[in-house]
């Protein structure tokens, strides 16, 4: 039984990691500022040791790190548009806090730190799918911050011998993703709007594409990255490997929900990437990773979850 620290563990992806770790019999400590995370995401996991704290504040990371074997660093303000509106707050959460976590992990001599990187680092690379050897081209403060933090991880591996791995996520979705903020992930926004019979807005012409990844795949990829012998110092895409346009996404969700609603189109969002699709051959090679839940199946499970939680709230 190992001790894991999940930063941002009260958030969407972090709470799924905590759940799977407990299922595997590991010990889980969560540190979360509750800026975007929610206590209720962990309500079904009473075994979790919870520390409320902002990792950008001095001392919080050091306290959280005591006795830790593995760190899954998920804490972030995960939004492109929020970073465009307020780059300073977003930098504090995404870069300053990461540096504090890395220093504390180095000093506590943890076995490995896995960092939640982002596909946004690729920007509008000229070719698809996006492969880790491409030169990054961030288009938003969020993308740049995620890239800086992953480069800090690599540097800590080279400079101090701290084992780190960056898993670059591609548009993760699933149960517990919060649809209620203007910065929420598009799938949560579309499902919750359509379940209530409201028309969602597509930013731009809807021809932009994404490699939407069901959260169980990400959990599997991250836990593999924690153990894979040759993963330290590497950046690895974790995704499904397909892509779908926003227009198609809207139609698939509308059919699943059974809503009779037309879509609205709004302005293109500043900092938006046009197309995103991952090459997952490095994950296959180094992590022995293979997507375990398809996009279609993941979407069905997610719609079912939102339906059930809407019923509970009503
Ligand atoms: C980006 C990153 C992703 C990261 C996420 C954090 C890319 C390719 N992906 O996601 O790795 O985890 O930030 O938030 O950069 N949209 C609408 N209507 C809405 C909401 C969104 O049309 O109501 C559109 C957006 O303009 C965008 C797409 O849906 O084209 C996806 O948006 P979103 O879910 O916010 O994620 P990204 O910004 O792509």
């Amino acid at each position: 039984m190992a001790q894991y620290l999940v930063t941002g563990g009260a958030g969407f992806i972090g709470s799924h990691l905590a759940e799977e770790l407990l299922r595997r019999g590991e010990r889980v400590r969560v540190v979360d500022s509750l800026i975007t995370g929610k206590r209720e995401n962990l309500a079904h996991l009473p075994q979790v040791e919870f520390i409320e704290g902002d990792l950008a504040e001095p001392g919080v990371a050091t306290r959280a790190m005591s006795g830790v074997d593995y760190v899954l660093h998920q804490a972030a303000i995960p939004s492109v548009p929020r970073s465009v509106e307020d780059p300073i707050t977003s930098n504090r959460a995404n870069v300053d806090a990461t540096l504090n976590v890395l220093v504390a992990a180095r000093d506590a001599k943890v076995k490995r730190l896995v960092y939640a990187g982002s596909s946004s680092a690729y920007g509008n690379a000229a070719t698809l799918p996006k492969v880790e050897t491409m030169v990054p081209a961030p288009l938003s403060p969020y993308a740049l911050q995620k890239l800086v933090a992953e480069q800090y991880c690599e540097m800590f591996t080279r400079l101090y011998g701290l084992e780190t791995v960056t898993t670059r996520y591609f548009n993760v979705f699933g149960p517990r993703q919060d649809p209620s903020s203007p910065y929420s992930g598009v799938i949560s926004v579309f499902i919750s709007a359509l379940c209530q019979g409201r028309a969602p807005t597509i930013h731009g012409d809807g021809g932009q594409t994404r490699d939407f990844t069901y959260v169980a795949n990400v959990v599997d990829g991250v836990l593999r990255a924690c153990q894979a012998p040759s993963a330290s110092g590497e950046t690895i895409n974790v995704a499904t490997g397909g892509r779908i346009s926003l227009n198609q996404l809207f139609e698939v969700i509308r059919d699943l929900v059974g809503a009779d609603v037309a879509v609205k189109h709004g302005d293109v969002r500043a900092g938006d990437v046009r197309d995103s699709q991952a090459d997952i051959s490095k994950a296959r090679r180094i992590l022995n990773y293979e997507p375990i839940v398809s996009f279609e199946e993941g979407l069905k499970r997610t719609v079912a979850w939102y339906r059930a939680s809407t019923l509970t709230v009503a």
Side-chain angles (χ1 to χ4, degrees):
M1 198 198 253
Q3 175 70 58
Y4 283 76
L5 173 67
V6 185
T7 73
F12 158 52
I13 299 173
S15 67
H16 282 278
L17 284 165
E19 185 176 292
E20 177 60 17
L21 285 168
L22 290 173
R23 203 188 61 75
R24 296 185 186 190
E26 308 290 4
R27 282 196 303 272
V28 179
R29 181 180 302 151
V30 160
V31 57
D32 201 299
S33 65
L34 302 179
I35 294 173
T36 60
K38 287 185 288 189
R39 278 305 283 265
E40 70 204 59
N41 285 338
L42 296 171
H44 63 303
L45 303 173
Q47 313 92 309
V48 166
E49 180 193 348
F50 184 77
I51 300 175
E52 183 174 343
D54 182 345
L55 291 162
E57 299 287 340
V60 173
T62 309
R63 277 200 304 283
M65 210 59 74
S66 142
V68 165
D69 297 304
Y70 298 101
V71 182
L72 309 181
H73 180 39
Q74 312 297 306
I77 294 186
S79 166
V80 169
R82 187 162 175 184
S83 78
V84 172
E85 274 165 36
D86 183 1
I88 292 177
T89 303
S90 159
N91 193 82
R92 186 170 178 278
N94 297 338
V95 179
D96 298 354
T98 299
L99 186 54
N100 289 340
V101 169
L102 282 167
V103 168
R106 177 201 65 187
D107 293 349
K109 299 191 169 37
V110 308
K111 294 195 173 91
R112 190 173 280 186
L113 177 146
V114 181
Y115 172 64
S118 169
S119 62
S120 58
Y122 291 109
N124 284 328
T127 54
L128 291 173
K130 294 178 177 179
V131 62
E132 296 86 344
T133 47
M134 284 174 171
V135 177
L139 298 175
S140 63
Y142 172 76
L144 181 60
Q145 293 154 10
K146 282 275 150 181
L147 180 64
V148 167
E150 77 173 54
Q151 293 192 347
Y152 258 126
C153 290
E154 265 179 62
M155 179 177 286
F156 267 63
T157 301
R158 282 199 307 273
L159 263 185
Y160 305 114
L162 170 69
E163 290 203 4
T164 69
V165 185
T166 293
T167 42
R168 273 191 188 161
Y169 300 162
F170 282 66
N171 291 74
V172 188
F173 71 98
R176 294 203 288 275
Q177 191 167 32
D178 178 9
S180 65
S181 113
Y183 309 114
S184 299
V186 67
I187 290 189
S188 69
V189 172
F190 279 15
I191 296 177
S192 82
L194 287 169
C195 282
Q196 295 162 26
R198 288 187 287 108
T201 302
I202 291 183
H203 300 306
D205 66 6
Q208 69 266 44
T209 57
R210 293 289 183 274
D211 186 344
F212 290 107
T213 307
Y214 187 65
V215 65
N217 299 318
V218 166
V219 168
D220 182 59
V222 168
L223 298 185
R224 286 172 183 277
C226 230
Q227 304 299 336
S230 53
S232 179
E234 300 290 342
T235 290
I236 306 171
N237 292 341
V238 172
T240 308
R243 69 188 173 109
I244 177 172
S245 74
L246 267 287
N247 288 327
Q248 289 169 301
L249 176 73
F250 168 74
E251 283 174 14
V252 177
I253 297 178
R254 186 183 56 188
D255 291 349
L256 274 175
V257 171
D260 185 17
V261 174
V263 73
K264 296 183 294 197
H265 284 267
D267 292 340
V268 174
R269 214 165 64 178
D272 217 30
V273 166
R274 183 68 185 173
D275 295 304
S276 182
Q277 179 180 21
D279 181 318
I280 54 172
S281 45
K282 186 170 180 183
R284 287 194 168 109
R285 194 171 68 249
I286 295 186
L287 306 180
N288 202 16
Y289 163 90
E290 200 57 54
I292 46 184
V293 180
S294 68
F295 166 71
E296 293 78 10
E297 173 59 24
L299 207 51
K300 279 188 201 144
R301 291 188 198 178
T302 308
V303 167
W305 183 85
Y306 280 102
R307 276 221 169 99
S309 53
T310 313
L311 285 177
T312 316
V313 172

